[in-house]
PDB file of all heavy atoms in Angstrom:
ATOM      1  N   ILE A 412      -7.832   8.560   9.184  1.00  0.00           N
ATOM      2  CA  ILE A 412      -9.073   9.111   9.007  1.00  0.00           C
ATOM      3  C   ILE A 412      -9.797   8.424   7.846  1.00  0.00           C
ATOM      4  O   ILE A 412      -9.207   8.251   6.790  1.00  0.00           O
ATOM      5  CB  ILE A 412      -8.992  10.675   8.795  1.00  0.00           C
ATOM      6  CG1 ILE A 412      -8.539  11.426  10.069  1.00  0.00           C
ATOM      7  CG2 ILE A 412     -10.337  11.230   8.193  1.00  0.00           C
ATOM      8  CD1 ILE A 412      -8.353  12.858   9.906  1.00  0.00           C
ATOM      9  N   THR A 413     -10.985   7.974   8.076  1.00  0.00           N
ATOM     10  CA  THR A 413     -11.753   7.163   7.062  1.00  0.00           C
ATOM     11  C   THR A 413     -11.735   8.046   5.757  1.00  0.00           C
ATOM     12  O   THR A 413     -12.266   9.171   5.751  1.00  0.00           O
ATOM     13  CB  THR A 413     -13.114   6.891   7.529  1.00  0.00           C
ATOM     14  OG1 THR A 413     -13.052   6.198   8.821  1.00  0.00           O
ATOM     15  CG2 THR A 413     -13.878   5.998   6.475  1.00  0.00           C
ATOM     16  N   THR A 414     -11.303   7.375   4.629  1.00  0.00           N
ATOM     17  CA  THR A 414     -11.259   8.065   3.388  1.00  0.00           C
ATOM     18  C   THR A 414     -11.936   7.174   2.341  1.00  0.00           C
ATOM     19  O   THR A 414     -11.556   6.102   2.038  1.00  0.00           O
ATOM     20  CB  THR A 414      -9.805   8.248   3.002  1.00  0.00           C
ATOM     21  OG1 THR A 414      -9.138   8.969   3.980  1.00  0.00           O
ATOM     22  CG2 THR A 414      -9.696   8.976   1.660  1.00  0.00           C
ATOM     23  N   PRO A 415     -12.996   7.616   1.717  1.00  0.00           N
ATOM     24  CA  PRO A 415     -13.788   6.900   0.680  1.00  0.00           C
ATOM     25  C   PRO A 415     -13.025   7.059  -0.681  1.00  0.00           C
ATOM     26  O   PRO A 415     -13.330   7.985  -1.456  1.00  0.00           O
ATOM     27  CB  PRO A 415     -15.115   7.524   0.654  1.00  0.00           C
ATOM     28  CG  PRO A 415     -14.856   9.043   1.085  1.00  0.00           C
ATOM     29  CD  PRO A 415     -13.617   8.968   2.099  1.00  0.00           C
ATOM     30  N   PHE A 416     -12.104   6.172  -0.881  1.00  0.00           N
ATOM     31  CA  PHE A 416     -11.423   6.171  -2.205  1.00  0.00           C
ATOM     32  C   PHE A 416     -12.231   5.784  -3.343  1.00  0.00           C
ATOM     33  O   PHE A 416     -13.122   5.003  -3.281  1.00  0.00           O
ATOM     34  CB  PHE A 416     -10.153   5.311  -2.145  1.00  0.00           C
ATOM     35  CG  PHE A 416      -9.016   5.808  -1.227  1.00  0.00           C
ATOM     36  CD1 PHE A 416      -8.875   5.168   0.006  1.00  0.00           C
ATOM     37  CD2 PHE A 416      -8.248   6.827  -1.652  1.00  0.00           C
ATOM     38  CE1 PHE A 416      -7.888   5.661   0.862  1.00  0.00           C
ATOM     39  CE2 PHE A 416      -7.179   7.174  -0.835  1.00  0.00           C
ATOM     40  CZ  PHE A 416      -7.041   6.640   0.475  1.00  0.00           C
ATOM     41  N   PRO A 417     -12.028   6.541  -4.497  1.00  0.00           N
ATOM     42  CA  PRO A 417     -12.812   6.023  -5.687  1.00  0.00           C
ATOM     43  C   PRO A 417     -12.598   4.533  -5.986  1.00  0.00           C
ATOM     44  O   PRO A 417     -11.581   3.970  -5.803  1.00  0.00           O
ATOM     45  CB  PRO A 417     -12.070   6.864  -6.857  1.00  0.00           C
ATOM     46  CG  PRO A 417     -11.486   8.070  -6.135  1.00  0.00           C
ATOM     47  CD  PRO A 417     -11.111   7.477  -4.776  1.00  0.00           C
ATOM     48  N   GLY A 418     -13.743   3.957  -6.326  1.00  0.00           N
ATOM     49  CA  GLY A 418     -13.782   2.437  -6.592  1.00  0.00           C
ATOM     50  C   GLY A 418     -14.268   1.632  -5.357  1.00  0.00           C
ATOM     51  O   GLY A 418     -14.519   0.524  -5.522  1.00  0.00           O
ATOM     52  N   THR A 419     -14.459   2.443  -4.247  1.00  0.00           N
ATOM     53  CA  THR A 419     -14.991   1.734  -3.044  1.00  0.00           C
ATOM     54  C   THR A 419     -16.550   1.871  -2.979  1.00  0.00           C
ATOM     55  O   THR A 419     -17.088   2.778  -3.508  1.00  0.00           O
ATOM     56  CB  THR A 419     -14.377   2.240  -1.769  1.00  0.00           C
ATOM     57  OG1 THR A 419     -14.776   3.629  -1.616  1.00  0.00           O
ATOM     58  CG2 THR A 419     -12.889   2.162  -1.819  1.00  0.00           C
ATOM     59  N   GLU A 420     -17.248   1.010  -2.258  1.00  0.00           N
ATOM     60  CA  GLU A 420     -18.619   1.043  -2.078  1.00  0.00           C
ATOM     61  C   GLU A 420     -18.907   2.371  -1.289  1.00  0.00           C
ATOM     62  O   GLU A 420     -19.878   3.035  -1.472  1.00  0.00           O
ATOM     63  CB  GLU A 420     -19.154  -0.122  -1.226  1.00  0.00           C
ATOM     64  CG  GLU A 420     -19.193  -1.367  -2.039  1.00  0.00           C
ATOM     65  CD  GLU A 420     -19.754  -2.539  -1.254  1.00  0.00           C
ATOM     66  OE1 GLU A 420     -20.337  -2.240  -0.212  1.00  0.00           O
ATOM     67  OE2 GLU A 420     -19.486  -3.718  -1.671  1.00  0.00           O
ATOM     68  N   MET A 421     -18.071   2.655  -0.354  1.00  0.00           N
ATOM     69  CA  MET A 421     -18.194   3.954   0.489  1.00  0.00           C
ATOM     70  C   MET A 421     -18.168   5.128  -0.381  1.00  0.00           C
ATOM     71  O   MET A 421     -18.981   6.114  -0.157  1.00  0.00           O
ATOM     72  CB  MET A 421     -17.070   4.039   1.571  1.00  0.00           C
ATOM     73  CG  MET A 421     -17.375   5.165   2.571  1.00  0.00           C
ATOM     74  SD  MET A 421     -16.101   5.116   3.818  1.00  0.00           S
ATOM     75  CE  MET A 421     -16.435   3.651   4.850  1.00  0.00           C
ATOM     76  N   PHE A 422     -17.280   5.219  -1.415  1.00  0.00           N
ATOM     77  CA  PHE A 422     -17.269   6.436  -2.156  1.00  0.00           C
ATOM     78  C   PHE A 422     -18.464   6.555  -3.025  1.00  0.00           C
ATOM     79  O   PHE A 422     -19.050   7.649  -3.113  1.00  0.00           O
ATOM     80  CB  PHE A 422     -16.011   6.252  -3.168  1.00  0.00           C
ATOM     81  CG  PHE A 422     -15.817   7.459  -4.100  1.00  0.00           C
ATOM     82  CD1 PHE A 422     -15.154   8.643  -3.661  1.00  0.00           C
ATOM     83  CD2 PHE A 422     -16.371   7.433  -5.341  1.00  0.00           C
ATOM     84  CE1 PHE A 422     -14.978   9.704  -4.514  1.00  0.00           C
ATOM     85  CE2 PHE A 422     -16.242   8.589  -6.253  1.00  0.00           C
ATOM     86  CZ  PHE A 422     -15.579   9.660  -5.829  1.00  0.00           C
ATOM     87  N   ALA A 423     -18.938   5.477  -3.555  1.00  0.00           N
ATOM     88  CA  ALA A 423     -20.231   5.510  -4.295  1.00  0.00           C
ATOM     89  C   ALA A 423     -21.306   5.931  -3.464  1.00  0.00           C
ATOM     90  O   ALA A 423     -22.199   6.815  -3.861  1.00  0.00           O
ATOM     91  CB  ALA A 423     -20.516   4.092  -4.886  1.00  0.00           C
ATOM     92  N   TRP A 424     -21.439   5.478  -2.223  1.00  0.00           N
ATOM     93  CA  TRP A 424     -22.487   5.792  -1.312  1.00  0.00           C
ATOM     94  C   TRP A 424     -22.365   7.271  -0.974  1.00  0.00           C
ATOM     95  O   TRP A 424     -23.412   8.024  -1.036  1.00  0.00           O
ATOM     96  CB  TRP A 424     -22.403   4.920  -0.097  1.00  0.00           C
ATOM     97  CG  TRP A 424     -23.241   5.489   1.088  1.00  0.00           C
ATOM     98  CD1 TRP A 424     -24.633   5.227   1.210  1.00  0.00           C
ATOM     99  CD2 TRP A 424     -22.827   6.202   2.216  1.00  0.00           C
ATOM    100  NE1 TRP A 424     -25.023   5.863   2.448  1.00  0.00           N
ATOM    101  CE2 TRP A 424     -23.918   6.470   3.041  1.00  0.00           C
ATOM    102  CE3 TRP A 424     -21.569   6.721   2.573  1.00  0.00           C
ATOM    103  CZ2 TRP A 424     -23.906   7.092   4.186  1.00  0.00           C
ATOM    104  CZ3 TRP A 424     -21.519   7.416   3.835  1.00  0.00           C
ATOM    105  CH2 TRP A 424     -22.678   7.684   4.592  1.00  0.00           C
ATOM    106  N   ALA A 425     -21.209   7.812  -0.666  1.00  0.00           N
ATOM    107  CA  ALA A 425     -21.057   9.184  -0.268  1.00  0.00           C
ATOM    108  C   ALA A 425     -21.237  10.104  -1.412  1.00  0.00           C
ATOM    109  O   ALA A 425     -21.857  11.196  -1.245  1.00  0.00           O
ATOM    110  CB  ALA A 425     -19.650   9.342   0.258  1.00  0.00           C
ATOM    111  N   LYS A 426     -20.892   9.729  -2.654  1.00  0.00           N
ATOM    112  CA  LYS A 426     -21.158  10.578  -3.786  1.00  0.00           C
ATOM    113  C   LYS A 426     -22.626  10.730  -4.024  1.00  0.00           C
ATOM    114  O   LYS A 426     -23.186  11.727  -4.333  1.00  0.00           O
ATOM    115  CB  LYS A 426     -20.417  10.034  -4.983  1.00  0.00           C
ATOM    116  CG  LYS A 426     -20.497  10.908  -6.237  1.00  0.00           C
ATOM    117  CD  LYS A 426     -19.739  10.272  -7.319  1.00  0.00           C
ATOM    118  CE  LYS A 426     -19.768  11.201  -8.554  1.00  0.00           C
ATOM    119  NZ  LYS A 426     -18.880  10.667  -9.698  1.00  0.00           N
ATOM    120  N   GLU A 427     -23.303   9.559  -3.974  1.00  0.00           N
ATOM    121  CA  GLU A 427     -24.743   9.528  -4.183  1.00  0.00           C
ATOM    122  C   GLU A 427     -25.525  10.353  -3.184  1.00  0.00           C
ATOM    123  O   GLU A 427     -26.553  10.960  -3.625  1.00  0.00           O
ATOM    124  CB  GLU A 427     -25.258   8.016  -4.113  1.00  0.00           C
ATOM    125  CG  GLU A 427     -26.727   7.889  -4.462  1.00  0.00           C
ATOM    126  CD  GLU A 427     -27.123   6.462  -4.472  1.00  0.00           C
ATOM    127  OE1 GLU A 427     -26.325   5.509  -4.403  1.00  0.00           O
ATOM    128  OE2 GLU A 427     -28.440   6.178  -4.411  1.00  0.00           O
ATOM    129  N   ASN A 428     -25.016  10.418  -2.079  1.00  0.00           N
ATOM    130  CA  ASN A 428     -25.664  11.103  -1.073  1.00  0.00           C
ATOM    131  C   ASN A 428     -25.115  12.570  -0.723  1.00  0.00           C
ATOM    132  O   ASN A 428     -25.437  13.218   0.190  1.00  0.00           O
ATOM    133  CB  ASN A 428     -25.698  10.333   0.344  1.00  0.00           C
ATOM    134  CG  ASN A 428     -26.589   9.112   0.306  1.00  0.00           C
ATOM    135  OD1 ASN A 428     -27.772   9.258   0.492  1.00  0.00           O
ATOM    136  ND2 ASN A 428     -25.966   7.965   0.006  1.00  0.00           N
ATOM    137  N   ASN A 429     -24.261  12.981  -1.687  1.00  0.00           N
ATOM    138  CA  ASN A 429     -23.687  14.381  -1.648  1.00  0.00           C
ATOM    139  C   ASN A 429     -22.980  14.566  -0.384  1.00  0.00           C
ATOM    140  O   ASN A 429     -23.042  15.647   0.104  1.00  0.00           O
ATOM    141  CB  ASN A 429     -24.804  15.404  -1.861  1.00  0.00           C
ATOM    142  CG  ASN A 429     -24.308  16.784  -2.273  1.00  0.00           C
ATOM    143  OD1 ASN A 429     -23.221  16.877  -2.878  1.00  0.00           O
ATOM    144  ND2 ASN A 429     -24.960  17.810  -1.813  1.00  0.00           N
TER     145      ASN A 429
END
Side-chain angles (χ1 to χ4, degrees):
I412 291 179
T413 303
T414 304
F416 288 102
T419 64
E420 290 181 19
M421 187 180 290
F422 181 85
W424 168 80
K426 184 177 181 180
E427 181 180 346
N428 290 279
N429 196 30

